[in-house]
Amino acid sequence: MGDVDAVVVGAGFAGLYAVHKLRSLGLTVQGVEAAGGVGGTWFWNRYPGARCDVESVDYSYSFSRELEQEWDWSEKYATQPEILAYINHVADRFDLRDRFLFGTRVTSAELDEESLRWEVRTDRGDVLSARYCIFATGALSTANMPNIAGRESFTGDTHHTGQWPHEGVDFTGRRVGIIGTGSSGIQSIPLIAEQAEHLYVFQRSANYSVPAGNQTWDDEMRRAIKAGYDERRRLSRESGGGSPYNAHPKSALEVSDEERREAYETRWKLGGVLFAKTFPDQTKTEAANATARQFAEEKIRLLVDDPAVADKLIPNDHPIGTKRIVTDTHYFETYNRPNVTLVDLKAAPIEAITPSGITTADADYALDTLVFATGFDAMTGALDRMRIVGRGGVSLSEYWSEGPKTYLGLGVPGFPNLFVVTGPGSPSVLANMVLGAEQHVDWIADCIEHLWEKDHDAIEASVPATEQWVEHCRELAAQTLFPLANSWYMGANIPGKPRVFMPYLGGFGAYGRICADVAEEGFRGFEFSRSRTRLADPVG
Ligand code: FAD
Ligand code: NAP
């Protein structure tokens, strides 16, 4: 198909911005996207109740002030259709659509060590040659369908939340089973319950969830937000999680009972995932964490009528915040409905999926529709599914066989000019991922400009810098309670996946400063090279 300067894989928030940014530098760019349109996560996850859990005014692009000022979010946490409409608006406004091959999956990317160019192949037979490869393939884009015995035999309808049909699903009059009580399950359960004749929730592990406290925005509120946008963004960039909120200045154990309760109450009202960051030591010491757990348990008990059901809904296997806290709308109250049954898989595990439903160790459940809210092969899944081959014929999957190894999450030794956006080793899923993607893409663009200035063909993470970064990430995780949870952050949801805490835990602001320093110091920890052939110098 031809030579380009850069191939960008993925048309979610990250890929779209990468195409926009690199094109503005004058590069020829080819985007490739497996989906039939733009949106990434928001293209695929169309299940009922799908919303963001970072406030929309923050979970949106900051690169264009005009865009910020002209777009009106209708509520605090926008729904999937509204977010997808926003991304489509961005694609049109910045004329990005025609830069993509849609409905096309990249199957391989192989380095030519002579020319230091990447040969990228797709499932539609395209062959592209590119100097730079940007993988904006998503941290949560590869659906996990668990291998439960008899899965294929089920004769009713089956859906995965991450591959939801565009025409929607009508649950009216149906006996529905849902497996999974992570964010996707917890967001969809209340709405499915409103429609279904009966909903059976198959829960393996209970999860912490905090009501969203969603609000619609009126014009006055929108004006106020827009007037303060610059400051809001500044605070977000400096914060731990990419939102304009900071933890309480003291330890949860230093303050009085009253002050602690008040702080938790304020965060509970703020809504959702930020409850995990009420106090700075909340995910660092068991004692601090226990105070937050106790508060959350009391809230759950207030919401659920049947104490025996409440008992099952209270997590007992992980410190609060070490799995992503869910941001819900009427989740716990849903169990007060007569047409909802909580099935505790810890007490009686699934034995098989049968043609007519699910058999657990102690009962048969007859079902018409089965929903898998079973999550994703996170952070490495999309990359693992391509054949990415670097120096010496070593594949990325081989290089990462004991867990992902990156320098800053951005570069991998042996894979020159290959950049991963919001991948393992970066704050990634622990921070507002739109700002994370912008920060990465801006850094990559600076890096490419540096290569031109210095007349280098390639940049590549060095082995020592990578080893140090991997160790630093491991140490940061070891100082927290995160490794205690069987979370997808740890790869624990996928059988056989190495157990390594994948995101960088040092905070979004601190990470941004490290990346900026590295660039400032001439891309410290990276090595530069010239191609042996100097074929087709892409930057002219
Ligand atoms: P994605 O949006 O995942 O896009 C990656 C794209 O790459 C996909 O469209 C995929 O089809 C494509 N792709 C992958 N492999 C290939 C290939 N081989 N060839 C071609 N194309 C390929 N994060 C937050 O910060 N706040 C939130 O509120 C939030 N809510 C979320 C809600 C849901 C339901 C989910 C699943 C995730 C949520 N996340 C949230 C995380 C979310 O994934 C990111 O915020 C963000 O949308 C990721 O953008 P991205 O462009 O990096 O990746
Ligand atoms: P998830 O958090 O990984 O949850 C998957 C659920 O499926 C868990 O309850 C898991 O149980 C269960 N499960 C998996 N395999 C199973 C099996 N074989 N048998 C029984 N149960 C099984 O996935 P997710 O809910 O899709 O969320 C993933 C991430 O996407 C979130 O953490 C969040 O970052 C993002 N997201 C965000 C939002 C939002 O609010 N904006 C919405 C959706 C997703 P165990 O816990 O026991 O493994």
Side-chain angles (χ1 to χ4, degrees):
M1 181 156 215
D3 287 7
V4 286
D5 296 330
V7 165
V8 172
V9 191
F13 273 113
L16 280 180
Y17 181 54
V19 166
H20 173 67
K21 181 81 189 185
L22 297 185
R23 203 174 53 175
S24 73
L25 293 186
L27 273 77
T28 54
V29 188
Q30 181 63 62
V32 187
E33 167 56 63
V38 299
T41 288
W42 305 101
F43 178 94
W44 295 105
N45 291 264
R46 298 174 188 237
Y47 59 84
R51 289 176 190 275
C52 51
D53 60 3
V54 171
E55 291 177 50
S56 296
V57 294
D58 302 316
Y59 185 68
S60 47
Y61 289 118
S62 69
F63 71 85
S64 160
R65 280 200 172 165
E66 295 74 28
L67 174 66
E68 262 176 5
Q69 292 296 323
E70 77 197 13
W71 183 264
D72 286 331
W73 291 107
S74 69
E75 50 188 333
K76 186 173 173 186
Y77 299 105
T79 58
Q80 172 273 332
E82 188 170 349
I83 301 170
L84 186 59
Y86 169 78
I87 300 177
N88 272 289
H89 168 75
V90 172
D92 291 332
R93 194 187 188 288
F94 297 95
D95 198 17
L96 303 173
R97 225 178 274 282
D98 67 339
R99 287 292 84 227
F100 278 92
L101 294 170
F102 290 107
T104 307
R105 185 169 285 281
V106 169
T107 49
S108 69
E110 289 190 50
L111 178 73
D112 178 328
E113 288 194 57
E114 289 292 307
S115 62
L116 291 178
R117 291 182 69 86
W118 288 90
E119 186 180 89
V120 178
R121 289 176 181 268
T122 77
D123 62 354
R124 288 168 51 139
D126 310 294
V127 183
L128 298 155
S129 168
R131 174 68 79 206
Y132 312 107
C133 260
I134 288 99
F135 286 99
T137 43
L140 294 159
S141 59
T142 306
N144 168 40
M145 267 301 217
N147 223 349
I148 300 173
R151 196 185 82 205
E152 301 295 338
S153 72
F154 183 63
T155 52
D157 300 331
T158 300
H159 304 288
H160 190 287
T161 49
Q163 296 171 335
W164 204 255
H166 289 202
E167 64 280 12
V169 179
D170 186 4
F171 295 103
T172 313
R174 310 202 42 105
R175 296 162 302 174
V176 183
I178 183 165
I179 302 177
T181 50
S183 300
S184 305
I186 287 179
Q187 282 192 328
S188 56
I189 283 165
L191 290 170
I192 297 175
E194 280 177 16
Q195 262 193 7
E197 180 188 303
H198 201 96
L199 175 65
Y200 296 92
V201 179
F202 293 89
Q203 172 188 274
R204 188 166 66 184
S205 317
N207 223 335
Y208 287 105
S209 187
V210 176
N214 203 11
Q215 285 169 264
T216 51
W217 294 146
D218 57 18
D219 284 346
E220 196 185 329
M221 189 63 192
R222 276 196 285 261
R223 264 196 301 277
I225 289 168
K226 287 180 184 180
Y229 233 142
D230 286 356
E231 178 62 2
R232 199 169 175 117
R233 296 298 199 181
R234 191 189 65 75
L235 290 170
S236 299
R237 288 196 189 93
E238 287 177 5
S239 71
S243 295
Y245 303 100
N246 282 316
H248 192 286
K250 291 189 191 149
S251 147
L253 304 174
E254 265 171 29
V255 296
S256 67
D257 288 355
E258 202 187 346
E259 191 177 347
R260 187 183 316 114
R261 175 159 280 279
E262 211 177 285
Y264 285 139
E265 199 63 62
T266 306
R267 276 290 160 125
W268 194 268
K269 288 203 185 98
L270 181 64
V273 72
L274 288 168
F275 184 78
K277 297 184 181 196
T278 311
F279 289 100
D281 53 344
Q282 212 172 306
T283 45
K284 292 201 173 130
T285 74
E286 297 257 19
N289 195 269
T291 64
R293 287 179 77 164
Q294 195 192 339
F295 183 90
E297 284 181 28
E298 286 169 19
K299 291 287 188 190
I300 296 171
R301 288 195 193 284
L302 285 176
L303 293 168
V304 182
D305 293 345
D306 181 342
V309 175
D311 275 345
K312 291 182 189 164
L313 289 169
I314 292 170
N316 56 18
D317 65 349
H318 67 278
I320 187 167
T322 56
K323 286 181 170 184
R324 190 173 184 90
I325 293 183
V326 182
T327 304
D328 74 85
T329 306
H330 307 314
Y331 173 62
F332 291 112
E333 302 92 305
T334 297
Y335 292 94
N336 301 332
R337 296 176 67 104
N339 71 330
V340 175
T341 303
L342 179 65
V343 181
D344 179 2
L345 297 180
K346 285 258 165 75
I350 294 178
E351 289 190 336
I353 295 177
T354 65
S356 58
I358 288 185
T359 299
T360 67
D362 66 4
D364 292 322
Y365 297 88
L367 304 171
D368 304 306
T369 306
L370 189 47
V371 175
F372 286 87
T374 44
F376 302 89
D377 183 351
M379 306 208 66
T380 54
L383 295 165
D384 257 345
R385 277 158 185 74
M386 287 171 275
R387 210 178 105 73
I388 301 173
V389 182
R391 289 192 194 277
V394 176
S395 75
L396 189 66
S397 300
E398 283 164 342
Y399 187 68
W400 284 4
S401 61
E402 289 169 8
K405 287 183 280 187
T406 69
Y407 178 38
L408 301 173
L410 283 156
V412 185
F415 296 82
N417 290 347
L418 181 151
F419 302 97
V420 181
V421 183
T422 61
S426 79
S428 184
V429 290
L430 297 180
N432 172 350
M433 289 193 75
V434 181
L435 294 192
E438 286 184 332
Q439 184 260 338
H440 266 185
V441 168
D442 288 343
W443 187 95
I444 293 166
D446 288 348
C447 175
I448 290 174
E449 284 191 306
H450 180 83
L451 295 181
W452 296 347
E453 277 164 25
K454 303 286 177 193
D455 197 24
H456 298 304
D457 290 331
I459 182 166
E460 182 175 347
S462 77
V463 171
T466 303
E467 282 173 355
Q468 273 171 27
W469 186 252
V470 169
E471 180 54 20
H472 177 54
C473 291
R474 195 199 61 73
E475 276 171 3
L476 286 173
Q479 289 160 16
T480 71
L481 304 173
F482 279 90
L484 299 180
N486 284 325
S487 66
W488 56 259
Y489 300 141
M490 293 286 294
N493 63 332
I494 304 295
K497 195 165 171 170
R499 297 279 174 112
V500 174
F501 190 83
M502 293 183 279
Y504 167 80
L505 258 168
F508 184 62
Y511 173 81
R513 286 190 293 277
I514 294 171
C515 289
D517 287 348
V518 165
E520 186 72 18
E521 291 167 35
F523 294 85
R524 162 170 52 84
F526 286 90
E527 290 164 355
F528 299 92
S529 50
R530 295 214 169 109
S531 73
R532 272 175 272 188
T533 54
R534 277 254 183 206
L535 276 177
D537 182 0
V539 295

